Amino acid sequence: MVDADNGQPPPDPTPAEQAGPIERPSRRGFLTGAVAGAAGVVAGAAGGYAVGSATSRGQVVTDPTVAPRPEGTGFDHLVVVMFENRSFDNLLGYLYEGPDGESTPAGQTFEGLQGDHSNPAPDGTRIPAHPHEGPTDEIMRKPDPDPGEEYPYVNTQLFGTIDPESNRSHDLPNLKAPFNAPRSDASPTMEGFVIDYVDKFRGEHHREPTVDEYRQIMGNFVPNMLPVFSTLARSFAIYDHWHCAVPSQTFPNRSFFHASSSHGFVTNGLGGYDKWLDPDRNQATTIFNRLQDAGVPWGVYYDDRQLISLTGLLHAPQLEPYWKTNFHTMSTFYEQAANGTLPAYAFIEPRMLYDHNDMHPPVGPITGIDVDQTELTGGISDVRSGDALLHEVYAAIRTSAASTGSNALNTVLLVTFDEHGGTYDHVPPPSATPPHAQKSTEMGFGFDRLGVRVPAMVVSAYTPAGTIINDEMHHGSLIATLCERYGLDPLTKRDDGATTLRNAVTLAQPRDPSTWPTTFPLFIPTNPESKDPIHDGQEDHPLSPPGVGLMSMLVARYGEPGEPVPHTYREAWASVRKHGQGLFGE
């Protein structure tokens, strides 16, 4: 069992937590009930909703103050929160039939870590998939250091190939074609995660990793380590075959999520981060533009302390006209959820700078700065911070009871991840439809296969509890869902015909939000949002790859010639204040 106390005071309450189990002079209040289960689930009665007749899988609303959608199942508002760099097995592989003994719901199948799963080590021994072990604060940072996430490293993880041999133990800029890709139509064996982790470790740290260091890549979280994720996954719907769009890293996958294309790019910054800002190279329209043209409200929400939006910069050629009007801080999201004024589509970015809550694994020391990442403390690369963010977003939706506009009954929450980030998964990615014809692509990738499975779940009033969906899903499913809902044309061949979220929104009558679980995240290191963005002693902590990428785009767009890209918290905070203040809305 993970220690949820550690003897430290909890952080100051966020706006969503302030709307928690207390009596309030508004319709958002609710009454708490008894604790149920190890994950800290509480049954309550949400103000503004009347409890209806019981069903076999939850309560339905029969006479609510806030009426259900007149046409039954579906949604009027879709909220998405996308985290960073975790595979399905790494986060949810033990959700059912795992160490806590929770059985797979009757009549359903779950593609988790049941049975034996392992990978070979360089000496030929087999390293089994296993629950993470050790002190809580170490577990919540694993794997540490960060695995390989770029296209060549993922090829090794999926196929066990290092080709040519000169690619062994070298960093990304020095890798050669075919970039470890298989030379034929080989099927992924999912047997190269340990081999790749050892090889990348050698190249970055110039020594052999110990067995304990490299076996952690086969380690995974168990449900009681992440109570918010596991509670929501079991209480609503989980997808066990949702794959990211590209077998590579953050920027290409986040680009596919909203543009159904990454413009032929398979890395964040190889060749320069300004490639994402170039309108001649970044030409793909986004679902945001389609919604805008159709008069459908949308919004992107970024962390208050971050000041700038990754989505806005990643799609700058298409979205810059809307930076001031459609991009907002998370404080605005919580206010809109409470007031019933959420747009039809809301996309949430976790914090990627400073002590990030995006769940990205730790990174190594910065060259020239004496930083031992294994000794860092605080809310940095700690999965509990992501669990806490999910709690805040879910609580804001669950307690939303506005009589008009958005509320818990007409809002769907999709939780997913951009990519697997090098963490272990045992399910081979399937083939894929290329988004469009391209004469040349980065590293020669044909975009004809998907990336690794990532966690994905749906929370809605119309979703039966304990639902496991085995349908093949991918990042194009988000665009397909919005296109279907609002009568829009597909963006590319990739999202055209993709399975939509309708398979998770199936009840004829909604479940009363008073019967939804109240979630309680575990203790996380003190991280007061109201104080300085950088805590004492953290100034020289290294940014994660998405953080470096975000700052690289900002400097490429607004920096002076030759201005260095920030790589530490101190440098990033100075840069965003200099270049990013006021670029986006509040």
Side-chain angles (χ1 to χ4, degrees):
M1 177 67 71
V2 172
D3 181 5
D5 184 4
N6 284 350
Q8 298 292 328
D12 295 336
T14 64
E17 292 171 327
Q18 293 171 359
I22 57 176
E23 195 70 40
R24 295 173 60 87
S26 73
R27 298 176 59 182
R28 300 180 65 220
F30 59 88
L31 304 176
T32 58
V35 175
V41 180
V42 174
Y49 300 97
V51 177
S53 58
T55 69
S56 61
R57 301 180 73 177
Q59 298 289 108
V60 298
V61 177
T62 56
D63 186 24
T65 305
V66 179
R69 301 181 74 254
E71 63 267 40
T73 60
F75 68 92
D76 295 318
H77 303 269
L78 175 59
V79 176
V80 174
V81 56
M82 176 175 273
F83 291 96
E84 283 279 324
N85 290 44
R86 298 286 170 177
S87 71
F88 184 89
D89 278 344
N90 181 249
L91 217 65
L92 296 172
Y94 292 120
L95 183 68
Y96 294 113
E97 313 298 335
D100 66 351
E102 185 82 10
S103 299
T104 303
Q108 301 190 78
T109 60
F110 176 69
E111 187 68 64
L113 284 170
Q114 311 97 313
D116 296 325
H117 301 282
S118 64
N119 260 209
D123 64 2
T125 61
R126 304 288 301 188
I127 309 298
H130 59 273
H132 279 310
E133 303 164 344
T136 298
D137 288 346
E138 291 183 9
I139 286 174
M140 297 305 174
R141 296 170 47 77
K142 289 186 176 182
D144 181 4
D146 186 29
E149 59 188 71
E150 292 91 345
Y151 174 72
Y153 303 125
V154 177
N155 283 332
T156 302
Q157 293 158 19
L158 303 188
F159 298 96
T161 52
I162 298 179
D163 187 16
E165 182 64 23
S166 60
N167 283 348
R168 192 174 299 276
S169 302
H170 279 75
D171 57 7
L172 184 68
N174 294 315
L175 299 182
K176 307 297 183 184
F179 305 103
N180 302 339
R183 290 188 177 276
S184 63
D185 294 333
S187 298
T189 62
M190 314 306 283
E191 290 267 291
F193 285 87
V194 175
I195 293 172
D196 181 68
Y197 197 63
V198 170
D199 189 69
K200 187 170 184 289
F201 191 101
R202 290 168 176 161
E204 290 188 351
H205 299 275
H206 309 294
R207 67 173 176 85
E208 289 292 318
T210 66
V211 174
D212 285 341
E213 284 174 326
Y214 68 67
R215 75 183 301 271
Q216 67 176 315
I217 198 60
M218 298 299 291
N220 306 282
F221 295 94
V222 298
N224 64 26
M225 294 175 179
L226 294 170
V228 180
F229 270 88
S230 58
T231 294
L232 296 184
R234 288 169 172 171
S235 301
F236 294 94
I238 185 173
Y239 292 101
D240 67 352
H241 283 81
W242 187 299
H243 291 261
C244 64
V246 184
S248 191
Q249 59 186 150
T250 292
F251 284 16
N253 277 293
R254 285 185 177 262
S255 180
F256 257 91
F257 197 74
H258 285 125
S260 200
S261 171
S262 63
H263 330 291
F265 306 145
V266 296
T267 65
N268 286 358
L270 194 66
Y273 285 91
D274 57 346
K275 64 189 179 184
W276 299 97
L277 305 170
D278 186 349
D280 292 329
R281 303 179 70 187
N282 182 344
Q283 296 182 339
T285 191
T286 72
I287 190 62
F288 300 116
N289 299 99
R290 289 287 176 83
L291 293 172
Q292 183 74 25
D293 293 343
V296 179
W298 59 274
V300 176
Y301 302 83
Y302 58 95
D303 185 82
D304 293 57
R305 290 193 292 159
Q306 190 160 289
L307 302 182
I308 56 177
S309 164
L310 173 59
T311 304
L313 286 167
L314 192 65
H315 300 288
Q318 295 80 23
L319 298 184
E320 186 173 3
Y322 311 108
W323 282 0
K324 284 284 193 178
T325 56
N326 293 71
F327 287 76
H328 311 284
T329 63
M330 284 302 296
S331 294
T332 298
F333 172 82
Y334 294 124
E335 292 172 2
Q336 291 179 345
N339 298 332
T341 55
L342 286 175
Y345 177 52
F347 181 72
I348 294 173
E349 301 175 2
R351 184 172 56 252
M352 298 177 183
L353 301 178
Y354 323 128
D355 49 341
H356 45 101
N357 59 6
D358 59 7
M359 303 188 80
H360 194 290
V363 295
I366 298 299
T367 301
I369 298 177
D370 185 16
V371 176
D372 185 353
Q373 183 73 6
T374 63
E375 296 180 358
L376 299 184
T377 59
I380 306 161
S381 299
D382 191 309
V383 294
R384 290 171 294 186
S385 298
D387 211 44
L389 174 60
L390 179 56
H391 159 74
E392 294 167 5
V393 173
Y394 166 72
I397 293 173
R398 175 184 176 268
T399 57
S400 176
S403 58
T404 60
S406 60
N407 55 57
L409 293 183
N410 62 22
T411 301
V412 168
L413 170 62
L414 170 65
V415 183
T416 190
F417 285 69
D418 61 344
E419 40 117 350
H420 80 297
T423 57
Y424 174 69
D425 196 82
H426 77 277
V427 173
S431 60
T433 301
H436 39 65
Q438 292 176 299
K439 293 181 179 179
S440 63
T441 63
E442 200 170 67
M443 295 187 173
F445 181 54
F447 295 92
D448 52 357
R449 50 187 169 92
L450 295 176
V452 178
R453 284 193 311 171
V454 293
M457 65 182 79
V458 163
V459 173
S460 88
Y462 292 94
T463 300
T467 297
I468 304 170
I469 300 174
N470 309 124
D471 298 341
E472 180 182 305
M473 310 288 289
H474 56 77
H475 284 352
S477 295
L478 178 278
I479 295 173
T481 299
L482 291 171
C483 288
E484 178 188 81
R485 175 65 178 80
Y486 298 107
L488 309 176
D489 291 333
L491 268 63
T492 72
K493 294 179 181 179
R494 175 66 67 84
D495 64 279
D496 189 7
T499 305
T500 72
L501 301 180
R502 289 281 181 179
N503 54 15
V505 187
T506 58
L507 290 175
Q509 290 185 304
R511 294 164 56 189
D512 190 327
S514 69
T515 69
W516 299 8
T518 296
T519 52
F520 292 96
L522 296 175
F523 163 85
I524 61 172
T526 303
N527 181 21
E529 301 289 338
S530 60
K531 298 182 181 179
D532 291 338
I534 305 172
H535 307 161
D536 290 341
Q538 294 185 358
E539 294 87 352
D540 291 327
H541 286 351
L543 300 178
S544 68
V548 172
L550 177 56
M551 297 312 304
S552 297
M553 288 193 294
L554 183 69
V555 170
R557 182 66 181 272
Y558 297 104
E560 300 294 331
E563 181 175 335
V565 173
H567 280 78
T568 67
Y569 288 9
R570 183 203 312 270
E571 295 167 351
W573 176 233
S575 185
V576 294
R577 283 187 298 169
K578 178 180 179 181
H579 300 306
Q581 193 88 41
L583 285 181
F584 295 90
E586 297 180 352

